[in-house]
């Protein structure tokens, strides 16, 4: 289905409850306020013109320092390589606003309509930075159960009403949430086998923290102006 035709159907059902956000040409993306999330999701699932019956994916996002660092594409910057944003015209014409305080974390929902063969992306921001929380959509899409546990584990986002919110990927004694932008690259603890105790133990990480900035610095005589068009003599 044409993206604009789908957008018109969404507006007819949910006008005033969603804000369209920039996306690639063949994609449709919206943002919804956290307090309206459940009602909007039910309409997206149940409205005959929409019928987004399947939650394909759910992921957390950490907007810490969003748009505060160098953000270029195609080439290396003075501190390293591209930050990975595509420089397409629509994005430049309407860039997303810098998140205000209390908008560091968000949850993104990838929806699929099997009935109409169409897709939609929905984003909702958590109200608080220190204890990010949002309503669980498990009651709307059962597939959200493990997805929300993953977002809780990796980002520390709490899902209000989730039936079994606990870690799913990291160990029971893991400290912190590894997908947060301020999580140390080496982690907080390490695991090793202690021969004296005869068991595996946890201890503070022994790796010294360091900042890794990718750069390419190479000396190549092929690019030396003094050697241009001067053939190398052969013996």
């Amino acid at each position: 289905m044409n993206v604009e035709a789908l957008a018109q159907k969404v507006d007819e059902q949910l006008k005033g409850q969603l804000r369209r956000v920039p996306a690639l040409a063949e994609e449709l993306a919206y943002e919804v306020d956290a307090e309206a999330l459940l009602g909007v999701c039910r309409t997206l699932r149940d409205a005959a013109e929409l019928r987004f019956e399947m939650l394909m994916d759910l992921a957390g996002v950490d907007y810490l320092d969003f748009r505060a660092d160098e953000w270029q594409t195609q080439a290396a910057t003075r501190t390293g390589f591209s930050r990975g944003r595509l420089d397409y015209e629509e994005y430049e014409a309407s860039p997303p606003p810098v998140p205000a305080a209390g908008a560091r974390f968000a949850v993104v929902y990838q929806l699929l309509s099997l009935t109409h063969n169409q897709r939609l992306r929905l984003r909702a921001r958590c109200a608080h930075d220190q204890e990010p929380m949002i309503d669980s959509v498990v009651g709307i899409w059962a597939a959200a159960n493990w997805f929300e546990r993953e977002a809780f584990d990796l980002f520390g986002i709490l899902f209000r009403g989730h039936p079994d919110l606990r870690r799913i990927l990291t160990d029971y004694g893991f400290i912190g949430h590894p997908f947060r932008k301020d999580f140390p690259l080496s982690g907080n603890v390490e695991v090793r086998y202690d021969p004296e105790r005869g068991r595996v133990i946890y201890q503070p990480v022994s790796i010294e923290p360091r900042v890794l900035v990718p750069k390419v610095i190479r000396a190549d005589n092929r690019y030396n102006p003094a050697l241009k068009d001067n053939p190398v003599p052969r013996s």
Side-chain angles (χ1 to χ4, degrees), residues 225 227-231:
L227 299 178
K228 186 175 182 182
D229 299 327
N230 293 329

Side-chain angles (χ1 to χ4, degrees), residues 7-218:
Q8 183 176 355
K9 294 180 183 296
V10 172
D11 291 340
E12 290 173 357
Q13 297 289 334
L14 295 163
K15 188 173 183 179
Q17 300 183 62
L18 295 175
R19 296 178 297 278
R20 191 169 176 180
V21 296
L24 295 175
E26 299 301 320
E27 297 181 354
L28 186 61
Y30 289 92
E31 185 167 274
V32 60
D33 293 333
E35 57 269 20
L37 174 65
L38 295 183
V40 165
C41 288
R42 289 192 183 96
T43 300
L44 290 172
R45 183 194 64 182
D46 298 338
E49 295 294 323
L50 303 176
R51 296 294 294 164
F52 287 98
E53 308 103 328
M54 181 174 291
L55 175 67
M56 296 293 294
D57 193 17
L58 180 155
V61 182
D62 183 358
Y63 285 99
L64 181 68
D65 295 332
F66 180 64
R67 298 185 69 199
D69 296 329
E70 290 186 75
W71 198 256
Q72 300 180 12
T73 185
Q74 303 299 328
T77 69
R78 63 181 175 81
T79 57
F81 284 106
S82 162
R83 297 303 190 261
R85 174 175 65 79
L86 295 177
D87 193 15
Y88 50 95
E89 294 181 0
E90 184 178 356
Y91 191 104
E92 290 298 329
S94 180
V98 177
R104 172 180 170 181
F105 296 99
V107 180
V108 177
Y109 307 82
Q110 307 287 352
L111 306 180
L112 171 65
S113 171
L114 299 174
T115 301
H116 303 295
N117 190 26
Q118 55 197 21
R119 296 174 184 267
L120 181 143
R121 181 165 60 252
L122 186 67
R123 179 178 66 194
R125 296 184 185 273
C126 302
H128 303 288
D129 292 349
Q130 298 302 318
E131 190 174 304
M133 182 179 294
I134 200 165
D135 288 322
S136 170
V137 296
V138 170
I140 301 173
W141 297 290
N145 193 320
W146 281 25
F147 291 146
E148 289 180 350
R149 285 181 58 187
E150 183 180 46
F152 161 70
D153 193 355
L154 300 180
F155 289 93
I157 298 173
L158 302 170
F159 291 88
R160 187 185 298 107
H162 190 283
D164 185 24
L165 193 62
R166 54 193 171 94
R167 291 187 183 270
I168 191 172
L169 294 175
T170 58
D171 199 4
Y172 295 108
F174 194 87
I175 298 175
H177 305 282
F179 275 18
R180 289 191 175 189
K181 296 291 181 63
D182 53 3
F183 186 82
L185 292 178
S186 58
N188 295 305
V189 297
E190 64 183 22
V191 180
R192 70 175 180 86
Y193 179 77
D194 189 327
E196 295 182 357
R197 303 183 188 181
R199 62 180 177 86
V200 172
I201 64 170
Y202 290 86
Q203 65 183 29
V205 66
S206 60
I207 302 175
E208 294 184 3
R210 55 179 177 169
V211 177
L212 301 178
V213 178
K215 291 184 179 181
V216 176
I217 302 175
R218 65 165 67 94

